[in-house]
């Protein structure tokens, strides 16, 4: 049996935080270890998570950190899930890749072509996987819209 992939969450201010939580519960080869709040205010986190960071961490058995890179080092992470503001995703993806971490993040994973190219280059140079997620792709409303387009209704 192989070891579990040790994963942490950088940022706690995305509508997709529960995707990470559900994944760490559902995927037996993955171990969710910690989350970094990046010093965001309690109110901002509460608005994003619809809960406190402490309750979120308790729900998914995560250790909380303020600093992402302290979390990465102390917890010996192998991968991160980025759940921060869109304009910061490329920056954190590049920094994570340079630390040898695999990266999973929501879209838009870059806000301009130069950042997108830099993310791709960082993945290649550091031999890591960076995987953007399309989190709404399989929600009922999006699937229904796709069916309407395919049927020629739209």
């Amino acid at each position: 049996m192989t070891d579990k992939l040790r994963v942490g969450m950088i940022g706690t201010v995305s509508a997709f935080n529960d995707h990470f939580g559900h994944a760490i519960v559902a995927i037996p080869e993955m171990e969710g270890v910690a989350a970094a709040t990046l010093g965001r205010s309690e109110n901002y986190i509460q608005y994003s998570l619809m809960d406190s960071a402490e309750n979120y961490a308790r729900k998914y058995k995560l250790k909380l950190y303020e600093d992402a890179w302290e979390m990465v080092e102390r917890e010996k992470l192998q991968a991160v899930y980025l759940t921060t503001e869109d304009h910061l995703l490329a920056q954190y993806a590049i920094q994570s890749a340079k630390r040898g971490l695999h990266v999973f993040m929501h879209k838009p994973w870059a806000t301009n072509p130069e950042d997108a190219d830099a993310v791709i280059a960082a993945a290649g140079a550091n031999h890591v996987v960076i995987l953007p997620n399309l989190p709404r792709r399989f929600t009922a409303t999006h699937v229904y819209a796709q069916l309407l387009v395919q049927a020629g209704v739209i």
Side-chain angles (χ1 to χ4, degrees):
M1 180 174 174
T2 62
D3 293 331
K4 290 185 176 192
L5 184 69
R6 294 179 59 79
V7 183
M9 182 171 67
I10 295 179
T12 50
V13 292
S14 168
F16 308 113
N17 285 318
D18 270 339
H19 289 202
F20 175 76
H22 295 306
I24 62 174
V25 171
I27 301 171
E29 296 84 8
M30 187 169 81
E31 178 184 8
V33 178
T37 64
L38 305 178
R40 304 301 191 263
S41 73
E42 289 182 33
N43 286 340
Y44 187 37
I45 292 171
Q46 177 81 28
Y47 175 77
S48 299
L49 290 177
M50 304 306 285
D51 204 347
S52 70
E54 291 77 16
N55 284 343
Y56 180 85
R58 190 173 15 264
K59 178 179 178 180
Y60 294 111
K61 299 180 177 112
L62 303 172
K63 186 174 179 182
L64 274 181
Y65 287 85
E66 188 169 311
D67 182 82
W69 310 124
E70 176 186 2
M71 172 188 73
V72 166
E73 293 302 317
R74 285 194 179 185
E75 300 300 332
K76 297 179 180 25
L77 298 181
Q78 299 161 291
V80 291
Y81 182 39
L82 304 182
T83 61
T84 191
E85 297 87 352
D86 294 347
H87 69 279
L88 298 175
L89 288 171
Q91 168 191 326
Y92 277 104
I94 292 165
Q95 291 177 17
S96 297
K98 288 179 178 178
R99 287 172 166 82
L101 300 167
H102 301 290
V103 177
F104 185 73
M105 61 184 156
H106 63 273
K107 69 165 190 71
W109 53 278
T111 56
N112 61 61
E114 295 78 22
D115 284 351
D117 289 344
V119 169
I120 294 166
N126 295 285
H127 309 287
V128 297
V129 174
I130 296 182
L131 178 64
N133 177 26
L134 303 172
R136 299 198 193 283
R137 183 176 186 165
F138 298 107
T139 59
T141 54
H142 287 73
V143 170
Y144 183 63
Q146 180 183 5
L147 292 173
L148 291 175
V149 169
Q150 290 172 343
V153 175
I154 297 178

